[in-house]
Amino acid sequence: MWPLISVTFLEGVRSRILYGIFLFAIFVVFLSIIFANFFMQDLGKVAVDFNLSAISFAGLLISASLSVNLIAKDLDKRTIYFVLSRPITRVQYVWGKYLGLLTVFLFAYLLLTGISCLVLVYLKSEYVNYFGSFNWLAYLQAVYFDFIKIMVLNSIIIFFGVITTSSFVNLLFTVSTYVVGQSISDVIHFISTGRGQESLAPATAQLITVIKYIVPNFEAFDFKVISAHGMLVSASEFGYFTLYGIVYSVIVLCLAAMIFKKKELL
Amino acid sequence: MITVEKLVKTVKKKQLLPSRKTILNDVSFRVQEGKVISIIGQNGAGKSTVIKSILGFTQPDSGTLNLRAGTTLGYLPENPYYYDYLTLRELLWFSASSFGMKKVDFPEKAKAAVEQVGMQAELGNRLRTFSKGMTQRAGIAAAIVHDPDLLIFDEPMSGLDPVGRQMVFDLISGLRDRGKTILFCSHVLSDVERLCDEVIIMHAGEVRRHLTREDLVLAQKETEILVPLSAQVKQILTTAEYRFKTFTEHLSLYVETDKINQTLDFLRRKEIPVVNVQSSAVTLEKIFYDVVADKEESCGL
């Protein structure tokens, strides 16, 4: 599996799209220096939020451009024949591609976090009074959970990648899952209130409850606001959300591997 | 080394009403160790499907496929496309390391592989800069870098210029001399005829002929004697165990060229008139065209 992980890593780091996204994210991170001046009251919080959003957005863009095409390209250009004629099983292929992607994201997140930290160090030294509640650990905590979110999202991309050979359909399904996953807790909150119970048919409410258990709760990994206030989550919460992301990804990848094992590669 | 028995494969037809199309029908053959075997046939005959079945890319509906345990395999796909962001060295390393080759052994093996395909100068270059022929040769290098026991090449000559084709021909020839087992598909019949110990001719998903080298050599050394058609002549030739083929007005008798005088004496003794004597000049190409034209008995083979 290692050869596949390293080849996937090389694919990621040699991709021109990745560099485009990097440049964009770095541009946005540096833009926070200018933008911070517009918000003199909450400058520190805005800067943190701006930097975290840039990293998160870069993660989503890399997923949409690089990850979505990863398996589709192998199937479309028949590179898969070359790979699977080596002693690489289909299960190893799915895991190898996924873990290779994670190494690309790890590289991207480390780089972007490093740059954003430098920007924050500069802003902190320039506007000392506005970073009273700033906490480096809280900042890194938000980046860490964003990485966990990307981990889950990419397992979903791999899952749809083995089902469909079209990267567009994969993107469509992934975006739909992401949107539902981002808003599902709000919807659940709505139907649990009196107004929601009145306006929704019981069948619809039930369907939403089922979806809640299938689609990952992406909002749970959003720690930007907490981080902007310099707050840290408890160790148990930290462990719970980490475990949730890992277990969800493993289940989705096992399903993907099961499907891919049966896939006809004619 | 490979045993294929009664392989059947159907696929769904893309039609309004669901139906299935048979793409492999009762395909059976054996690939013996150290032999070079080629599968030939028209496009859509089922050659690539057989190879993909052997490699496990597709599951047959019925039949069995056995590959000797512990066989290391090198495969060149048809129209290969590799990760073009890799250099040739990285591609070879991917191939070699997935077969468990150690880093310390790699430089020597990589050098040997690229030398065989004439790409020594390209090791550090990215695959995206390669032409179609170079990509094909890079694919062959990736297939042989780990020194496999069995090589499966799907159209290895495709996309190559005459020099490249000769190089692949020499390469397969060299691998054969080193005792490697090679199974390959090709449309270049003259090369197949010169290289192979056995030739499988597929048509419409079926194995129509399985020829050995002896069959081909014999076919080339045969002479065709035409005699008038009659039940009595047919009876005499059958009793004497001659190989013949019945046409509407005559019988064609196939004999080895060095036995021609002996046969003519026999016919004279039996008072069978000879209409014509001609070299049959049966080439693989002729056999192939007969099979494709669905002639049941091609040249007595």
Side-chain angles (χ1 to χ4, degrees):
Chain A
M1 201 154 66
W2 280 110
L4 199 59
I5 295 173
S6 57
V7 157
T8 309
F9 175 73
L10 286 178
E11 176 166 9
V13 296
R14 287 182 183 170
S15 161
R16 283 170 199 165
I17 298 169
L18 189 78
Y19 290 111
I21 295 168
F22 261 167
L23 287 176
F24 172 73
I26 291 166
F27 171 73
V28 174
V29 164
F30 278 100
L31 213 63
S32 67
I33 298 172
I34 301 162
F35 264 79
N37 290 305
F38 299 159
F39 304 91
M40 284 314 281
Q41 216 167 7
D42 286 322
L43 191 146
K45 286 171 193 154
V46 168
V48 168
D49 199 40
F50 218 88
N51 278 270
L52 287 173
S53 296
I55 295 170
S56 182
F57 191 56
L60 291 176
L61 283 181
I62 296 168
S63 302
S65 55
L66 185 75
S67 313
V68 160
N69 288 313
L70 203 68
I71 292 182
K73 214 160 65 180
D74 273 10
L75 291 171
D76 186 43
K77 300 203 167 176
R78 315 266 172 113
T79 322
I80 191 99
Y81 293 147
F82 169 70
V83 176
L84 293 182
S85 63
R86 297 346 41 217
I88 294 171
T89 64
R90 295 193 187 198
V91 174
Q92 286 173 330
Y93 174 81
V94 168
W95 280 95
K97 283 280 170 184
Y98 177 71
L99 294 174
L101 266 180
L102 287 195
T103 56
V104 177
F105 280 102
L106 193 65
F107 168 75
Y109 269 60
L110 285 176
L111 199 73
L112 289 174
T113 307
I115 293 165
S116 73
C117 284
L118 289 176
V119 169
L120 286 173
V121 166
Y122 167 75
L123 283 170
K124 233 176 137 234
S125 63
E126 280 288 303
Y127 309 98
V128 183
N129 299 334
Y130 297 97
F131 280 84
S133 60
F134 180 77
N135 181 340
W136 281 110
L137 275 179
Y139 184 76
L140 294 176
Q141 165 190 277
V143 176
Y144 169 78
F145 280 113
D146 201 71
F147 183 78
I148 298 282
K149 179 189 81 180
I150 287 295
M151 209 170 92
V152 175
L153 185 69
N154 276 275
S155 71
I156 290 165
I157 291 173
I158 295 279
F159 175 78
F160 288 129
V162 300
I163 292 177
T164 172
T165 49
S166 157
S167 43
F168 175 72
V169 175
N170 186 348
L171 184 66
L172 203 69
F173 283 146
T174 306
V175 168
S176 309
T177 309
Y178 184 74
V179 170
V180 173
Q182 273 288 350
S183 48
I184 193 76
S185 46
D186 289 340
V187 177
I188 293 289
H189 178 72
F190 172 69
I191 58 169
S192 63
T193 60
R195 207 176 137 214
Q197 280 165 352
E198 278 168 25
S199 56
L200 277 178
T204 314
Q206 243 170 358
L207 181 74
I208 291 167
T209 313
V210 171
I211 290 172
K212 183 185 113 177
Y213 289 110
I214 297 172
V215 175
N217 183 0
F218 284 116
E219 209 194 351
F221 301 114
D222 189 352
F223 284 79
K224 284 199 278 291
V225 178
I226 292 176
S227 169
H229 286 89
M231 288 155 72
L232 285 167
V233 290
S234 67
S236 62
E237 273 181 310
F238 189 90
Y240 172 76
F241 287 121
T242 303
L243 201 67
Y244 172 61
I246 292 172
V247 169
Y248 193 93
S249 305
V250 168
I251 291 171
V252 172
L253 285 167
C254 286
L255 280 173
M258 261 168 61
I259 293 167
F260 194 59
K261 255 175 99 172
K262 303 264 176 206
K263 197 176 177 83
E264 283 280 310
L265 297 171
L266 257 179
Chain B
M1 191 167 253
I2 306 173
T3 312
V4 178
E5 267 177 64
K6 297 183 179 304
L7 215 64
V8 175
K9 174 78 193 166
T10 58
V11 287
K12 268 185 203 161
K13 265 184 174 178
K14 283 177 183 169
Q15 283 178 341
L16 200 60
L17 292 170
S19 64
R20 298 193 77 84
K21 183 187 171 194
T22 304
I23 51 171
L24 291 182
N25 188 19
D26 205 21
V27 172
S28 300
F29 63 87
R30 274 171 165 238
V31 178
Q32 287 173 318
E33 202 169 341
K35 298 274 183 193
V36 179
I37 297 190
S38 178
I39 306 178
I40 58 172
Q42 284 177 293
N43 293 332
K47 309 180 294 289
S48 293
T49 310
V50 169
I51 286 181
K52 283 170 192 167
S53 302
I54 293 170
L55 293 165
F57 300 153
T58 179
Q59 288 301 311
D61 297 0
S62 64
T64 53
L65 267 159
N66 284 310
L67 187 64
R68 198 188 64 192
T71 305
T72 48
L73 196 143
Y75 171 59
L76 173 78
E78 186 181 6
N79 300 320
Y81 183 89
Y82 303 106
Y83 297 120
D84 62 3
Y85 48 85
L86 297 179
T87 62
L88 178 57
R89 184 181 284 107
E90 286 164 346
L91 178 82
L92 296 183
W93 173 239
F94 171 73
S95 190
S97 60
S98 60
F99 278 97
M101 191 186 286
K102 288 184 180 133
K103 221 163 191 171
V104 67
D105 300 326
F106 176 68
E108 194 190 327
K109 297 273 184 188
K111 194 176 161 228
V114 291
E115 267 173 13
Q116 286 189 71
V117 295
M119 295 185 84
Q120 299 92 311
E122 308 293 339
L123 263 174
N125 293 339
R126 293 249 176 115
L127 299 181
R128 68 164 59 111
T129 63
F130 287 5
S131 67
K132 197 182 169 193
M134 285 165 83
T135 306
Q136 185 86 344
R137 281 152 61 196
I140 294 172
I144 61 172
V145 68
H146 55 289
D147 199 21
D149 311 317
L150 171 68
L151 286 142
I152 300 181
F153 294 151
D154 201 347
E155 303 289 352
M157 322 279 187
S158 153
L160 296 177
D161 57 26
V163 177
R165 232 180 75 185
Q166 185 58 43
M167 191 218 68
V168 173
F169 181 90
D170 293 341
L171 178 78
I172 295 177
S173 201
L175 291 166
R176 183 186 59 185
D177 296 344
R178 281 166 49 202
K180 301 287 177 194
T181 310
I182 303 164
L183 174 68
F184 75 101
C185 294
S186 182
H187 287 301
V188 188
L189 299 183
S190 55
D191 289 346
V192 169
E193 201 167 10
R194 284 159 63 206
L195 274 172
C196 294
D197 298 307
E198 290 173 41
V199 179
I200 294 165
I201 306 179
M202 287 193 71
H203 185 59
E206 293 175 352
V207 172
R208 292 290 173 89
R209 296 282 185 279
H210 190 150
L211 308 169
T212 61
R213 172 133 298 277
E214 288 72 34
D215 291 331
L216 289 170
V217 171
L218 194 67
Q220 283 163 4
K221 283 183 181 167
E222 277 185 346
T223 298
E224 186 181 6
I225 304 170
L226 273 61
V227 294
L229 175 65
S230 77
Q232 195 194 355
V233 171
K234 222 171 167 177
Q235 177 63 41
I236 293 166
L237 294 177
T238 309
T239 312
E241 294 184 344
Y242 276 108
R243 229 150 34 81
F244 62 88
K245 193 172 168 187
T246 311
F247 292 92
T248 45
E249 289 179 355
H250 71 272
L251 285 166
S252 275
L253 188 62
Y254 299 98
V255 292
E256 286 175 43
T257 307
D258 54 0
K259 289 182 181 161
I260 184 77
N261 291 334
Q262 200 182 324
T263 309
L264 290 172
D265 284 346
F266 171 80
L267 294 174
R268 211 172 295 126
R269 277 202 310 276
K270 296 288 178 189
E271 295 178 342
I272 301 170
V274 173
V275 178
N276 197 6
V277 178
Q278 59 192 37
S279 166
S280 68
V282 182
T283 58
L284 179 62
E285 204 167 341
K286 186 171 186 314
I287 299 169
F288 176 73
Y289 286 131
D290 283 353
V291 169
V292 169
D294 258 342
K295 289 184 186 170
E296 279 309 308
E297 293 217 10
S298 62
C299 310
L301 288 169

